[in-house]
Amino acid sequence: MTRIIADISVSLDGFVTGPDPSPDNGLGTGGEALHTWAFSDDPDDRRVLREGTARSGAVVLGRHLFDVVDGPKGWDDTSGYGAGEVGKPAFVVVTSSPPASVRTTNLDWTFVTTGLPDAVTAARERAEAASSDSGKDLDVILMGGGATVASALDAELVDALTLHLAPVVLGAGTPLFTGAAPRTLVQRSVISTSTATHLTYDLFR
């Protein structure tokens, strides 16, 4: 069964970017430390990345994050979705209007202008089709940014939350939880490495 999984890296003080993020400074000042684990040689980090990429039948992201990954300093063949795993699922972007052009034309982009629930529905359809084609269960991954993940959690669109907790304090940036509705999470797994603590929680709607 296709599940909706929010998957994002976060600092100890709850930020998913450092200060002053922009298309030219995607993770903000100091924010690169959040994703050190994704480029680590630690076997547990590699396994977390490999398994997460492999289960991705479709990926949802917000427009600000799209502008970063599709920008001139964004993804390429070695640092795209899944970092070294170079995953290429279908990507669904929540936006008020589609971009005039796309740099990463080697990826499958769909732009949804009618809101996050419709984007998740479109992604689920793509993931279910990919599951049927591959013969294995694939999920929808909500990769960010922080506002998109937080909105999905508040709207109870998410089945599971995976946090890659980086051992860094950024002090400012883009917060993951701001005024979030109270929720009870059930811890499903914890994997600790030198670069992150990988936490997965089940959410019940």
Side-chain angles (χ1 to χ4, degrees), residues 63 66-67 70 95 97-102 111:
R63 177 58 184 269
F66 167 79
D67 287 341
D70 192 59
T95 181
S97 61
S101 62
V102 175
F111 299 93

Side-chain angles (χ1 to χ4, degrees), residues 9 17 19 21 30 46 50 57 79 107 125 128 135 159 164 183 193:
S9 297
T17 75
R46 299 310 304 172
R50 181 174 62 252
S79 62
L107 299 178
E125 291 172 354
E128 289 175 345
D159 298 308
H164 309 284
R183 296 293 301 275
T193 72

